[in-house]
Amino acid sequence: MTPAICMITDRLRRGDGAGGIVSRVAAAARAGVHLVQNRERDLDGRLLLEVVEACVDAVRQTPARIVVNE
C-alpha cells in the first residue's frame, strides 16, 4: 500500500489571504500531494466556496483531491 501525502490549509497560521491558499495548494499538487484538506473554519460560506472552487480548479490537471472541513 502506497502512503498518501496530505496537505492541510490554515491561512491564519501562515498569514496568507485566500489567494495564498490557492497558490500553495497548486504548488503542493504539482509537487505530488495526494489530498488537500481545506480547513478554513472561520470563513463565511460564500468565501469558503470561492476558495474551494479555486483550489479545485488549481488541482484539476493533477491526481490531487480536495476535501473541505466546515
Side-chain angles (χ1 to χ4, degrees), residues 9-22:
T9 70
D10 188 348
R11 76 183 198 301
L12 295 178
R13 186 168 190 169
R14 300 233 7 123
D16 288 344
I21 295 170
V22 177

Side-chain angles (χ1 to χ4, degrees), residues 16-65:
D16 288 344
I21 295 170
V22 177
S23 64
R24 289 182 192 283
V25 166
R30 287 190 306 271
V33 165
H34 303 106
L35 182 69
V36 177
Q37 179 180 351
N38 192 306
R39 191 169 181 257
E40 305 301 327
R41 297 173 292 192
D42 64 312
L43 293 180
D44 68 34
R46 182 175 306 270
L47 185 53
L48 179 60
L49 177 62
E50 290 174 10
V51 169
V52 170
E53 286 176 338
C55 288
V56 168
D57 287 342
V59 304
R60 194 166 303 278
Q61 300 302 318
T62 73
R65 297 294 174 250

